[in-house]
Amino acid sequence: MSYTLDEFAADCRRALAKDSGPAGIEEVRTYVEKALKDDDLIAEHLPADADKERRVLYEDPDLKFCICAHFYQGPKDGFPHDHGPTWAIYGQAVGETEMTDWEIIKPASGDEPALVKQTRSYSLKPGDAHAYPAGAVHAPLRNGPTRLIRVEGQNCDHITRTPIKAA
């Protein structure tokens, strides 16, 4: 039996209603992994012929989390960034993402961006899901076509992020 988007969203909602902290986010991460294993869900909501890089699939009216589909047709080098005041979970559906974590060595101040240094790199392969708490700085690198599910604690289209620059 297929894991539907409605079931996925309901599972996330239950987990976050019960605990909006690290334990709830970790439970949501396990639901992202479950969604990544469902070929029907991936085929329906992350098609290979998507025409936009980002599509919000579900946004919770009360808890404000959202489930997004991300599509990259070719290589794409991401810059170090955070998700402002919220958390995010990246779930790799197709392709591979090399993710780099960064540490803030000088906080942003006035017009000056935060300065960061690289701390580690690792690969996200199909089926992998990784949670980034609020303030966690990371940068994705994609060398070819990739598709992923990203769950955000609140829709990142409507937040202000910290200006960040590699030291």
Side-chain angles (χ1 to χ4, degrees), residues 50-107:
D51 59 352
K52 293 170 45 174
E53 282 191 352
R54 174 183 164 88
R55 189 163 43 110
V56 176
L57 303 175
Y58 172 83
E59 188 165 359
D60 192 86
D62 301 315
L63 300 179
K64 305 300 180 206
F65 74 91
C66 65
I67 300 171
C68 304
H70 286 251
F71 312 89
Y72 303 98
Q73 299 302 335
K76 184 161 183 153
D77 192 1
F79 55 90
H81 66 280
D82 66 9
H83 294 109
T86 194
W87 52 268
I89 299 168
Y90 286 66
Q92 193 75 35
V94 175
E96 189 171 324
T97 298
E98 182 182 331
M99 193 65 79
T100 301
D101 290 346
W102 301 76
E103 176 186 351
I104 295 176
I105 58 174
K106 182 180 174 197

Side-chain angles (χ1 to χ4, degrees), residues 135-151:
V137 180
H138 51 283
L141 171 64
R142 298 170 184 96
N143 291 315
T146 57
R147 290 180 268 159
L148 61 115
I149 294 172
R150 190 164 90 183
V151 180

Side-chain angles (χ1 to χ4, degrees), residues 117-140:
K117 71 174 183 175
Q118 182 177 337
T119 58
R120 73 178 184 135
S121 290
Y122 48 97
S123 291
L124 295 177
K125 297 179 179 174
D128 292 343
H130 190 89
Y132 298 90
V137 180
H138 51 283

